[in-house]
Amino acid sequence: MAHRDDQRLDGGGVRHVVWDWNGTLFDDHVAVVAAINDALALLSLRPIDSNVYRTHFTRPVERFYEQVAGRPIAPGEWRTLDEAYHDSYHAWVERLELAPDAWAALAAAEAAGLTQSLLSMWRHQDLVALVERLGIGRFFLRVDGLRVPGGGGKTEHLVAHLAALEVDPSATLLVGDTLDDLAAAQAVGARCVLYDGGSHHRHALEATGVPVADTLTAALAAVKQL
C-alpha cells in the first residue's frame, strides 16, 4: 500500500490509525455494565457497578467473570454468560451513540492524510451494520469484528487485520481504551494511545507509560509524545 512521505502526523511517522470500537469510538460503557449484570443474574451472581468493572476488566473475558464471581466459571456457564451478555447488549445498541468527538477525530485523521480502519472484539455482522447505520463507514479501509465466538485477546486479530491491509505496524497507531489494546499494539510493534473510555481506572492506564487521552482528538494529537 503506497503512502506519500508527507502523510505523517506531527512528524511522527504514523500513516495509519486502527481504531478500537467499544469504549473508544462507541460510547457504550453503561450498556456494557448493564449487559454484564444481566449475564451474571442468570447464574445468580451478584451485580457489579462501574467501579468494579474498571477494577477487574481483563481479557480473556472468562478471567474477568471469574474475578467478579469469586470462583471458577465452567465452560457451560461461560457459554451462557457470553450469549446472555450479547443478547442484553444488543437491546441497548439503538440507544447508544458515538463518543462525543468521534466524528471530529475521524475527520481530523482524514484531513491529516492518514488511512484508517476499525478493529473490534464485538461480533462482526453486528459491528458492520452499526457502523453503516451511524454513517462513518466511509472513513475506514477495513472493518473487522469477531467472526467466531470468543473472549480472548486482541493480538492475533490485530496481526490479521494489519496483514489484510498490508500496513506496516511500525507506521500504525492503535487508539483503544483497554490494556489489551496496548498489549496487542506492543506485540506487533505498533504505537498506541489509550483513551480513557471507562474500561480501566485512569491510574491503571497512566501506569503503562503510554499517552492517555481524555478525548479522541487529543489521542491523535498525543502521537507526538511517542
Side-chain angles (χ1 to χ4, degrees), residues 80 105 191:
T80 297
R191 309 181 193 202

Side-chain angles (χ1 to χ4, degrees), residues 20-26 28-29 53 57 154 174-182 192-201 205 216:
D20 174 56
W21 182 245
N22 303 98
T24 304
L25 286 176
F26 198 49
D28 64 351
H29 180 72
Y53 174 76
F57 179 73
K154 200 168 198 171
L174 173 61
V175 180
D177 70 316
T178 72
L179 300 180
D180 184 57
D181 288 314
L182 175 58
C192 184
V193 174
L194 291 172
Y195 168 62
D196 190 4
S199 287
H200 300 287
H201 290 295
L205 301 179
L216 298 177

Side-chain angles (χ1 to χ4, degrees), residues 97-127:
E97 299 179 353
L98 293 169
D101 67 336
W103 269 97
L106 293 168
E110 182 180 60
L114 304 174
T115 54
Q116 304 177 78
S117 61
L118 177 59
L119 177 61
S120 173
M121 303 298 282
W122 191 36
R123 293 176 175 177
H124 181 76
Q125 66 274 17
D126 296 327
L127 174 68

Side-chain angles (χ1 to χ4, degrees), residues 48-67:
I48 65 171
D49 59 16
S50 293
N51 179 63
V52 173
Y53 174 76
R54 291 185 176 101
T55 299
H56 292 292
F57 179 73
T58 188
R59 286 186 177 276
V61 178
E62 295 99 314
R63 187 179 305 159
F64 163 75
Y65 279 108
E66 288 180 340
Q67 289 179 353

Side-chain angles (χ1 to χ4, degrees), residues 93-186:
V93 167
E94 295 297 326
R95 290 173 277 174
L96 302 175
E97 299 179 353
L98 293 169
D101 67 336
W103 269 97
L106 293 168
E110 182 180 60
L114 304 174
T115 54
Q116 304 177 78
S117 61
L118 177 59
L119 177 61
S120 173
M121 303 298 282
W122 191 36
R123 293 176 175 177
H124 181 76
Q125 66 274 17
D126 296 327
L127 174 68
V128 170
L130 182 56
V131 166
E132 292 305 318
R133 181 176 68 78
L134 292 171
I136 58 173
R138 71 174 185 82
F139 288 107
F140 306 121
L141 294 179
R142 186 177 180 89
V143 174
D144 281 323
L146 281 183
R147 291 174 170 82
V148 295
K154 200 168 198 171
T155 299
E156 64 180 286
H157 302 283
L158 181 58
V159 170
H161 184 75
L162 295 180
L165 286 165
E166 298 182 358
V167 168
D168 181 356
S170 67
T172 298
L173 170 70
L174 173 61
V175 180
D177 70 316
T178 72
L179 300 180
D180 184 57
D181 288 314
L182 175 58
Q186 291 177 331

